[in-house]
Amino acid sequence: MSAPAVSIRGFVNSGVLDLPAGTAVAEAVRRFDPALGERVAAGEAYVTDARGIEIGPAETLVSGAILRVVVRARRQGDADA
């Protein structure tokens, strides 16, 4: 008999999500808002933890994680004019 699936609760911006244990940051953002998830994948946005420290999209979430998605003002590689 297999063990029941474990889920965790996480927070993305102002939303609450119940996610499978082992979910990556990028997947949590995508489930919260697919368009925002695409922006993270494209480097147009980044994710911070509750303290404001940037975390990578491949990081694994823990229960109660609080994520904030920040859209970059410029695309990476843009030079100051």
Side-chain angles (χ1 to χ4, degrees):
M1 182 178 237
S2 63
V6 176
S7 66
I8 61 171
R9 178 159 284 185
F11 304 87
V12 178
N13 290 351
S14 61
V16 178
L17 297 170
D18 290 315
L19 303 159
T23 298
V25 168
E27 178 63 12
V29 173
R30 187 191 66 74
R31 288 184 184 211
F32 173 71
D33 181 338
L36 203 52
E38 288 179 23
R39 294 187 85 170
V40 169
E44 297 171 2
Y46 62 94
V47 182
T48 68
D49 63 13
R51 300 168 295 167
I53 298 171
E54 188 171 345
I55 56 176
E59 299 266 344
T60 302
L61 293 179
V62 296
S63 188
I66 299 171
L67 306 177
R68 305 264 189 262
V69 182
V70 180
V71 177
R72 297 181 193 278
R74 299 176 189 233
R75 284 180 274 152
Q76 289 181 336
D78 283 352
D80 290 337

